[in-house]
Amino acid sequence: MKLKVITSNPGKVAEYQKELAEYGIDMEHVRLPYDEVQTSDLEEVVNKGMDAIIAQGVRDFIIDDSGLFVDALKGFPGVWSAYAQKTIGNPGILRLMEGVEDRGAEFRCCIGCDVMGKRIVVTGKCRGVITDSEQGDGGFGFDPVFSHDGERTFAEIPMDEKNSVSHRGNAVRLLIDALKAEKVI
């Protein structure tokens, strides 16, 4: 079986492929523009995105929306994480967190999967903290400023380890469970 991963981020495709290959699912990277609804709810963004993609006649695909929700910033950047990454980046998040004691944050990943005419939507989470500085050169996005264990950032750990604890890894495991329940795999 082949699923299209509709994203502009090849890093996401690699993470999906690593987790789903053992179930005989191949990933195809597809760049397909669609309007993303502006809302503070990841699941609403994903469901509306799926509707838009299906309206274009595309089936058997995965999309996701992820965000970094920082406690002290009242959930910012949240669903606007991609925009925040492009505009203020990791240095901007670190500036916003200067002098802030509560460094708690949560990465969330909502996956929408259209497969064999079935719609599956799941959300995985990973709690952690915002570090005091950027650390590591792996990963992408906010990985260099997010630590799940208070010791190393997502940018400092190998992909296998990251996938075992990350929001996307947790969401993929929920997706696998749902695919099994629907008897797709």
Side-chain angles (χ1 to χ4, degrees), residues 133-150:
S133 63
E134 290 188 68
Q135 300 165 28
D137 55 9
F140 54 88
F142 293 113
D143 286 357
V145 298
F146 180 84
S147 174
H148 73 290
D149 62 8

Side-chain angles (χ1 to χ4, degrees), residues 42-181:
L42 286 178
E43 289 182 5
E44 185 177 353
V45 172
V46 167
N47 275 306
K48 298 281 187 183
M50 290 181 75
D51 292 343
I53 292 166
I54 290 168
Q56 294 181 49
V58 178
R59 299 310 295 244
D60 296 323
F61 64 87
I62 291 176
I63 63 170
D64 77 37
D65 197 20
S66 299
L68 174 65
F69 295 76
V70 180
D71 299 346
L73 302 178
K74 296 182 171 57
F76 180 81
V79 296
W80 299 281
S81 290
Y83 179 75
Q85 183 59 228
K86 287 177 197 164
T87 56
I88 66 172
N90 294 329
I93 292 296
L94 293 174
R95 275 192 302 279
L96 290 171
M97 294 298 289
E98 284 178 7
V100 175
E101 281 188 43
D102 177 7
R103 314 249 348 144
E106 184 172 85
F107 262 128
R108 297 179 198 157
C109 175
C110 182
I111 298 174
C113 179
D114 175 88
V115 58
M116 297 170 39
K118 298 173 194 232
R119 178 183 292 231
I120 298 169
V121 178
V122 296
T123 301
K125 300 175 182 180
C126 179
R127 286 292 304 169
V129 296
I130 302 299
T131 56
D132 293 325
S133 63
E134 290 188 68
Q135 300 165 28
D137 55 9
F140 54 88
F142 293 113
D143 286 357
V145 298
F146 180 84
S147 174
H148 73 290
D149 62 8
E151 296 177 18
R152 300 165 300 150
T153 67
F154 273 1
E156 294 177 296
I157 60 178
M159 185 187 293
D160 285 345
E161 185 178 348
K162 178 184 171 186
N163 286 346
S164 73
V165 297
S166 76
H167 55 302
R168 184 165 295 106
N170 290 331
V172 168
R173 282 183 286 285
L174 291 170
L175 175 63
I176 290 167
D177 290 346
L179 291 170
K180 287 178 179 177

Side-chain angles (χ1 to χ4, degrees), residues 1-5 13 16-17 20-29 60 62:
M1 173 189 315
K2 184 178 277 189
L3 290 175
K4 300 165 197 74
V5 181
V13 180
Y16 282 122
Q17 186 63 60
L20 294 171
E22 70 180 273
Y23 297 97
I25 301 174
D26 290 321
M27 303 289 112
E28 175 187 354
H29 185 193
D60 296 323
I62 291 176

